[in-house]
Amino acid sequence: MQRDALPFYRVMAYATGVFLLVLCVAMFVRYGPPDNPSMSQIVSPIHGWLYVVYLVAAGLLVYQRGWKGTRAVLIAAAGTIPLASFFAERYVVRKAREEARVR
């Protein structure tokens, strides 16, 4: 029996979104008036690896649901734009649940 990829995607979408917002703050601290690179040196790699896992989660979900490549690209891009992963997560969950009801 195959596990549903939706819960894994949801967790990764939220984690990636939160760390992207923290990364934005870290970039302000690094390049803004405080001029302190220590926070971004810690947060940048964490967000980078979380984004890689987010891409895997999105890929599994797209493969499992049989969605088109354009939807996969949009979902993947949502992890790079602040706040977009939260909106994309809601959209993806809604679409996945609608399609599950139709089948």
Side-chain angles (χ1 to χ4, degrees):
M1 179 161 180
Q2 188 177 17
R3 295 180 71 175
D4 189 18
L6 188 61
F8 178 48
Y9 167 76
R10 293 183 77 182
V11 168
M12 291 314 304
Y14 279 113
T16 302
V18 167
F19 268 90
L20 184 57
L21 292 175
V22 173
L23 181 62
C24 290
V25 171
M27 289 294 117
F28 176 77
V29 170
R30 180 177 189 154
Y31 297 111
D35 196 27
N36 185 358
S38 62
M39 184 177 175
S40 75
Q41 290 173 343
I42 295 168
V43 174
S44 297
I46 294 172
H47 169 69
W49 283 109
L50 281 175
Y51 182 67
V52 169
V53 178
Y54 170 78
L55 290 177
V56 170
L60 287 172
L61 183 66
V62 167
Y63 175 75
Q64 191 178 68
R65 304 289 175 170
W67 290 342
K68 295 181 182 179
T70 54
R71 189 178 287 181
V73 170
L74 291 174
I75 293 170
T80 63
I81 303 167
L83 299 176
S85 66
F86 301 114
F87 293 108
E89 186 270 337
R90 293 306 320 148
Y91 172 79
V92 167
V93 169
R94 188 175 68 242
K95 287 296 181 186
R97 289 181 177 162
E98 286 174 1
E99 290 177 6
R101 280 189 289 242
V102 171
R103 293 182 193 187

